[in-house]
Amino acid sequence: MLETVKYLLGSAGPSGFGSKTTAEQVTENHADLRSITAIITGATSGIGTETARVLAKRGARLVLPARSMKAAEDAKARIVSECPDSEIIVMALDLSSLNSVTNFVAHFHSLGLPLHLLINNAGKFAHEHAISEDGVEMTFATNYLGHFVMTNLLVKKMVETAKETGVQGRIVNVSSSIHGWFSGDAISYLALISRNKRHYDATRAYALSKLANVFHTKELARRLQQMGANVTVNCVHPGIVRTRLTREREGLLTDLVFFLASKLLKTIPQAAATTCYVATHPRLLNVSGKYFADCNETSTSKLGSNSTEAARLWAASEFMISRGPKAAFDLLNHLEF
């Protein structure tokens, strides 16, 4: 109850920020990003656009990958109209396609740019069951697997950039508190919904993908530390905000729910604050493998803190990529990690 009251009041936590803080506020006193190159997925609308706008305002060079080049160009135009000196590169990327992910990374490498900041923000809530071209349930493919592959392919560049510039690299995975709604075996459920539409539940599938983001953060942080890399990775819950993710299903019931919950909803500038805080604030130097909400470190679900399950999903993900989902699901259901 006390935490809810603090949230509604926007009370500041240990960081000095709270639920009502905006992305501009968390970056206004310290963030000179003129030497920073950042990739931000999902920056054509909502929280991603606001994150991109604020980072551009602070001087960062931005790479905005998107499925729709028109949407990316429109987002770029809106940012440039406010920040005329900003450097923004738009590139094609469909996160649900592993071929598209590898093509995007190859294109990015061909530009010869450094990479200091990677924000895995794009998200999808698929009300209807769908399978990606690689044979994986679409929500999981878009929200987690595409980001997993892209991040792994970009980590070397981030490590090199940090070594050459002395600026610590940062990876930010945008998850959700909804990750705590998933219980059970992640890999078994993924295999089930990737093979059989009958078992698909949109909310549970979304929760699984967000739990996977948490697992990814935990295991990647361990691996980066083991490598001695000057790169951190953290996970954020942006808060509840009415974006395109929730507007996909309009109607009287949806509108009523959002009206009743309106006091709990964040504005988009408030929802982008935690991402911008974790991506830029000096206080988070050397902080890695953590989970943040309302610009303060907090706890994941009990399952989300399970290091064994995080390592197991990583191994399963690598197996899906190398062997293909069908072979992976056949074997992984019988293996322990």
Side-chain angles (χ1 to χ4, degrees), residues 81-232:
S81 69
E82 181 181 344
C83 313
D85 296 330
S86 56
E87 183 181 350
I88 301 175
I89 302 165
V90 300
M91 295 170 63
L93 171 64
D94 179 353
L95 281 162
S96 73
S97 163
L98 298 185
N99 184 59
S100 177
V101 171
T102 55
N103 286 342
F104 162 75
V105 173
H107 186 188
F108 175 78
H109 285 323
S110 74
L111 300 178
L113 296 174
L115 182 59
H116 307 85
L117 177 58
L118 173 61
I119 300 179
N120 293 322
N121 166 82
K124 178 182 183 68
F125 188 107
H127 291 285
E128 301 299 326
H129 182 264
I131 300 295
S132 75
E133 65 182 45
D134 301 294
V136 181
E137 187 277 319
M138 188 64 78
T139 301
F140 188 88
T142 304
N143 294 359
Y144 164 73
L145 193 60
H147 282 128
F148 174 84
V149 174
M150 184 178 73
T151 302
N152 282 3
L153 292 174
L154 290 170
V155 158
K156 183 180 178 183
K157 169 58 71 175
M158 295 192 74
V159 172
E160 290 172 354
T161 298
K163 191 174 291 187
E164 291 165 3
T165 64
V167 177
Q168 189 168 78
R170 297 191 186 188
I171 300 167
V172 183
N173 288 331
V174 178
S175 181
S176 168
S177 61
I178 292 173
H179 81 270
W181 295 10
F182 185 87
S183 60
D185 185 272
I187 297 170
S188 295
Y189 184 63
L190 174 63
L192 195 65
I193 61 176
S194 293
R195 289 166 157 170
N196 197 325
K197 174 181 180 178
R198 196 160 48 86
H199 298 283
Y200 181 72
D201 177 273
T203 301
R204 193 171 186 221
Y206 182 74
L208 169 62
S209 73
K210 296 289 104 178
L211 175 64
N213 296 146
V214 174
F215 281 158
H216 181 210
T217 302
K218 192 170 190 66
E219 179 63 10
L220 179 56
R222 185 188 71 79
R223 288 168 179 256
L224 289 168
Q225 184 179 36
Q226 198 172 54
M227 290 165 56
N230 189 22
V231 177
T232 64

Side-chain angles (χ1 to χ4, degrees), residues 285-300:
L285 188 70
N286 298 324
V287 174
S288 193
K290 305 299 183 182
Y291 179 77
F292 292 82
D294 301 327
C295 302
N296 287 276
E297 185 182 336
T298 188
S299 300
T300 65

Side-chain angles (χ1 to χ4, degrees), residues 62-73:
L62 303 182
V63 176
L64 306 184
R67 276 190 310 166
S68 167
M69 292 298 284
K70 182 183 185 306
E73 291 288 357

